[in-house]
Amino acid sequence: MASARKSRGESLLLRYLVLGTWALVCLLPILWFLSIGFRPRTEVITPQPIFWPTFSLDAWHLLMSDWPIAMYLRNSVIAVAGSVVIDLILAIPAAYALARYDFKGREDIGFYILSTRMMAPAIVAVPIFFLFKTLGLLDSVWALMLIYAAINLSLVTWIIRSYMLDIPKELEDAARTDGASDLRILWEIIIPACLPGIITAAVIAAIFAINEFLFTLLIASTANAYTMSVALANFTGGSDGIIYNAIALVSFIAFVPILILVILIQKHLSRGLTMGAVKG
Amino acid sequence: MASIHLQNIVKRYGGFVGVQNMSLEIADEEFLVLLGPSGCGKTTTMRMIAGLEVPTDGKIMIGGEVMNDVDARDRDVAMVFQGYALYPNMSIYENIRFPLRMRGVPASEHDARIRQAAEMVELGAYLDRKPAALSGGQRQRAALARAVVRQPQVFLMDEPLSNLDAKLRQSMRVQIKHMQRQLKVTTVYVTHDQIEAMTLADRIVIMNKGAIQQVGTPDEIYSDPANTFVAGFIGSPPMNLIEGTAQGGRFNAPGVSAPCPSNVQGKVTLGIRPEDCRIGGDNVQGLVYGVEPTGDTTYLTVLAGTKKIEVKAARDYRSDIDVSIGITFDPARLYFFGQDGERIRGVA
Ligand SMILES: Nc1ncnc2c1ncn2[C@@H]1O[C@H](COP(=O)(O)OP(=O)(O)O)[C@@H](O)[C@H]1O
Ligand SMILES: [Mg+2]
């Protein structure tokens, strides 16, 4: 008994050691970034190793005074949040219809919707550019909102649909005999029952939207519509050369919202991704 | 309160016939039980009455009105589902309240009615809980309360007790019957458990393969079965069915010989219930195959030829196996069925 407990304790220790090492390997680049971001510019680029780094807010002050970061963040938030709202408004009824109503070509429509996601985005880049140009929507966050919504709509629909398929049919039958209309059933029974799926889909869509680069670069040409993802790529630090500590800090700022989103849904994330993709 | 009429109801799924040509009259305030093996079309029938399934053919009337084109939400029918179907995100209180809200019952009446329904199923203390925090029996009662609170014209219950353990099932059975008598609501109850059917029903409808086999009171079904299916389905252990030949007023099978009416001729099946057999005599000449004491009775299995015959014996009856034994049938309790399985009614 005692020896069994001891070996159990040892294996637990070993497990934490292995996991801890792996976590350190994964987290090291992030810590490195942070340390670069909060050190003086010159210290970051000296070739000599430095054992006792100096703390400095130089890069932070530079960013705050020189770079419209608030604008970029605002653009990101508006475009991403707006696109997720549009996605949910469109995807929830679509997913419900695909999950429950029996109509001709249901499976084909379902697959067609998903297949729009399989295409390489670059293929439609040029037509989209001209489309938005004609519509007078270039260089606007509203255009980005529409694009993000369009890109993620199929995936969001598919994920929510797969959660809806898991809801017992009896629940809807019960609501119907209780006197509820279809919209009531959707609103009061289905949506609450697949709320975890809806949240998961929303967060996944938000992460994809935050990271979207190609179309953002195409549509946004000034700080008017730049989001963090494009601004970050264009950022070199300023007029006098590449400023590494500022770049590191900007990267970290761009990384934080995604980290928060992932932590929020990590429990559902793998289920959402695999189910949405695999379950037909 | 309402009567229900089913007129030549058919339900086909593609080429498969789920329910075939079913006609049934259910009286106002009646407790009717649909009984049959799994897959025989009980749920389908019930769902057609509820309006959740559209019959391929035939007419459904509730309270004298044709219901075929009336949506489920507009039929005044409350259904209890096999899986309870409680709304997981709502408290028990909100679950019971849902049909009141959906049907536009004035909000001022809600609280009193919910509490009354909950009291009726002894669930008053659990109104704040979510369904997930209740036991199976409590969920079952919550589902009942949700059906009761509306005061509907018809109750439909689809195997409501099948997920409960035996002891709970017995007490819930009594509770359901009491409630139905108290509320006087026409009730259709589906089950594959013959004990439930016998104890609850005013009348039983026995179904097999989508077709009605027999309709009658529990007594009629038990003592006057229409065919071998009904005879073999009801009773535990069920009726012994022995295949043999009848000639000149005598039925013969290996190890079995019994008198029969003169109109019974040729290849027939003899039916005799275990409790209508007595030890001793010579209707059966066989060997003791096994003895099963259950406490209040003992079941004896006798091997006659290759056929096993169940006999209900005295509670203290004991025997070794492979001992030869004779059995007498109560001559007034013999049933004969033709080759098609239908009962041959005696001219006696
Ligand atoms: N939607 C459906 N599509 C095809 N067949 C069905 C459908 N619903 C039920 N059935 C079939 O109809 C028969 C009767 O089903 P059901 O009424 O559920 O049986 P029971 O409730 O008596 O067990 C079964 O064989 C079942 O497979
Ligand atoms: Mg069933």
Side-chain angles (χ1 to χ4, degrees), chain B residues 36-312:
Chain B
S38 161
C40 72
K42 308 181 296 288
T43 299
T44 308
T45 306
M46 172 154 286
R47 289 173 61 85
M48 287 190 286
I49 299 174
L52 296 168
E53 211 84 61
V54 183
T56 315
D57 210 346
K59 205 152 78 171
I60 295 177
M61 293 196 281
I62 300 177
E65 281 178 67
V66 179
M67 284 286 153
N68 284 43
D69 296 325
V70 178
D71 199 277
R73 69 179 68 95
D74 302 319
R75 298 188 189 188
D76 198 5
V77 164
M79 185 154 170
V80 177
F81 293 82
Q82 188 169 0
Y84 314 142
L86 295 171
Y87 311 125
N89 52 300
M90 300 181 197
S91 66
I92 297 305
Y93 186 91
E94 284 302 323
N95 261 280
I96 301 174
R97 185 165 163 222
F98 190 77
L100 300 180
R101 278 203 291 128
M102 292 306 120
R103 288 178 182 270
V105 174
S108 56
E109 291 178 26
H110 288 188
D111 194 62
R113 280 173 72 167
I114 293 165
R115 289 185 191 282
Q116 193 191 358
E119 280 316 315
M120 187 173 272
V121 296
E122 295 159 30
L123 212 59
Y126 300 95
L127 286 172
D128 295 333
R129 297 220 193 153
K130 290 278 176 70
L134 296 187
S135 71
Q138 290 165 337
R139 283 181 213 179
Q140 182 50 58
R141 282 181 277 154
L144 277 175
R146 188 176 63 185
V148 165
V149 75
R150 276 165 53 184
Q151 302 165 358
Q153 293 204 322
V154 175
F155 281 142
L156 303 175
M157 304 189 188
D158 190 358
E159 312 215 13
L161 306 184
S162 62
N163 292 336
L164 304 181
D165 59 59
K167 212 168 169 180
L168 201 52
R169 218 179 292 175
Q170 200 273 336
S171 74
M172 284 298 301
R173 221 160 58 200
V174 178
Q175 202 164 9
I176 287 177
K177 187 162 186 176
H178 180 83
M179 213 170 66
Q180 197 266 347
R181 290 284 185 266
Q182 197 176 11
L183 299 170
K184 301 190 191 318
V185 175
T186 314
T187 301
V188 181
Y189 185 105
V190 160
T191 181
H192 63 260
D193 177 5
Q194 48 149 333
I195 305 284
E196 254 171 55
M198 298 295 280
T199 52
L200 285 171
D202 292 325
R203 281 192 308 154
I204 296 177
V205 176
I206 300 207
M207 294 180 68
N208 189 33
K209 296 185 178 151
I212 293 182
Q213 302 296 313
Q214 188 172 1
V215 182
T217 64
D219 284 341
E220 285 165 3
I221 296 275
Y222 190 81
S223 55
D224 196 12
N227 56 38
T228 49
F229 178 81
V230 175
F233 196 75
I234 295 287
S236 71
M239 186 183 282
N240 294 297
L241 294 169
I242 306 162
E243 291 176 12
T245 3
Q247 202 178 16
R250 197 81 200 161
F251 171 90
N252 286 297
V256 180
S257 174
C260 69
S262 54
N263 67 323
V264 177
Q265 287 288 345
K267 282 196 175 307
V268 295
T269 301
L270 174 148
I272 180 83
R273 291 210 179 271
E275 66 268 32
D276 298 326
C277 302
R278 264 183 311 106
I279 294 168
D282 60 357
N283 285 135
V284 176
Q285 299 285 351
L287 299 173
V288 174
Y289 183 81
V291 176
E292 299 169 283
T294 64
D296 59 346
T297 47
T298 298
Y299 291 103
L300 163 69
T301 309
V302 175
L303 195 63
T306 55
K307 179 78 190 168
K308 286 176 194 147
I309 297 170
E310 295 285 330
V311 175
K312 192 172 169 184

Side-chain angles (χ1 to χ4, degrees), chain A residues 135-181:
Chain A
L135 291 172
L137 278 174
L138 289 183
D139 204 24
S140 124
V141 277
W142 308 108
L144 293 180
M145 191 189 291
L146 288 179
I147 294 239
Y148 296 164
I151 290 174
N152 288 321
L153 186 56
S154 60
L155 192 66
V156 172
T157 307
W158 206 254
I159 293 173
I160 295 177
R161 184 193 90 116
S162 66
Y163 274 82
M164 283 178 175
L165 285 174
D166 279 358
I167 300 173
K169 184 87 170 43
E170 266 193 356
L171 225 48
E172 286 166 65
D173 290 338
R176 193 158 287 128
T177 47
D178 279 347
S181 65

